[in-house]
Amino acid sequence: MNQDNTTDLIPFTVDLTFGEARRRAEVVAALGPDWDPVAALQGEDAAYALLYSGLDAEQQRTYDLLVAAGVLPGEEPGRAAAH
């Protein structure tokens, strides 16, 4: 019995484009008409600012070190950690 049947293989591809578009449409529909993406981002910015407010000197040095190393995002728009 030949275990190497690579010549018998048939290519199989699936296009997920339609499914992904449908999924995204369902997510937006579930958010509802009152969802405000700008307000959501502003809320995230406010939460981020509150999270790192009131640090003592040592905590601030550690925070600055982590931002400089790219572990934590900085204050710039579109924040995201570099790593």
Side-chain angles (χ1 to χ4, degrees), residues 69-80:
V71 175
L72 289 176
E75 299 294 324
E76 66 277 354
R79 283 188 284 245

Side-chain angles (χ1 to χ4, degrees), residues 2 4 9 16 18 27 33 36 38 43-44 47 56 65 71 78-79 83:
N2 185 1
D4 186 19
L9 296 178
L16 299 175
F18 177 75
V27 168
D36 183 2
V38 174
E44 287 181 17
D56 64 26
L65 180 78
V71 175
R79 283 188 284 245
H83 303 290

Side-chain angles (χ1 to χ4, degrees), residues 18-62:
F18 177 75
E20 179 63 14
R22 188 180 142 281
R23 184 194 68 79
R24 288 181 183 194
E26 292 295 331
V27 168
V28 172
L31 290 171
D34 297 330
W35 180 63
D36 183 2
V38 174
L41 290 174
Q42 289 171 339
E44 287 181 17
D45 285 343
Y48 184 85
L50 184 60
L51 179 63
Y52 294 108
S53 66
L55 300 177
D56 64 26
E58 180 61 27
Q59 292 169 330
Q60 187 64 50
R61 277 192 297 278
T62 302

